[in-house]
Amino acid sequence: MHLVYPAVLSALLFCTGLYGVLARRNAILVLMSVELMLNAVNLNLVAFDVWLRDTLHTGQALTLFVIAIAAAEIGIGLAIVLMVYRNRGTSDVDKLRDTAERQEPEAPAQKAEVTA
């Protein structure tokens, strides 16, 4: 098997994911782009494991760990995005940079009428 084909495909997947992380504004699309980059790394790990004819299959074992960590990351990431959406009403990354809670503008105090 030639190493060039999976390496080029992995590079294209990684660049697509990197573009998605840098250009997207929606937090869910950013998480999907991170997953795409992790899958590109997994493809590289398996391709190099097969190419090197490793008897311990360390590339494939490391790929299983990356998949498990990616599943945990997407679960926690989606939970955070849903909570932020419930609190703020948007999942736009640019609007979420301010971590302080927004205060509702207070109504001006009404003057009590004094009757004599």
Side-chain angles (χ1 to χ4, degrees):
M1 179 177 98
H2 292 288
L3 186 62
V4 175
Y5 300 127
V8 168
L9 179 62
S10 176
L12 289 174
L13 284 173
F14 192 85
C15 289
T16 304
L18 186 65
Y19 172 75
V21 167
L22 296 177
R24 299 291 180 196
R25 299 293 178 238
N26 191 348
I28 294 176
L29 292 178
V30 170
L31 285 174
M32 288 174 57
S33 298
V34 169
E35 289 295 320
L36 193 63
M37 290 173 20
L38 286 173
N39 286 330
V41 170
N42 287 341
L43 179 62
N44 250 348
L45 285 171
V46 171
F48 275 99
D49 184 49
V50 170
W51 184 67
L52 292 174
R53 300 187 201 294
D54 186 17
T55 57
L56 294 176
H57 300 292
T58 54
Q60 293 177 19
L62 189 58
T63 298
L64 287 175
F65 284 114
V66 171
I67 289 172
I69 290 172
E73 174 257 334
I74 199 69
I76 292 171
L78 279 176
I80 291 171
V81 168
L82 285 175
M83 288 306 297
V84 166
Y85 182 77
R86 284 183 187 169
N87 289 337
R88 301 277 178 102
T90 184
S91 63
D92 190 3
V93 176
D94 288 337
K95 293 180 182 175
L96 300 176
R97 303 227 176 182
D98 184 24
T99 58
E101 292 279 335
R102 286 189 221 154
Q103 299 292 331
E104 295 293 326
E106 294 181 16
Q110 296 177 353
K111 295 181 182 178
E113 295 182 20
V114 179
T115 58

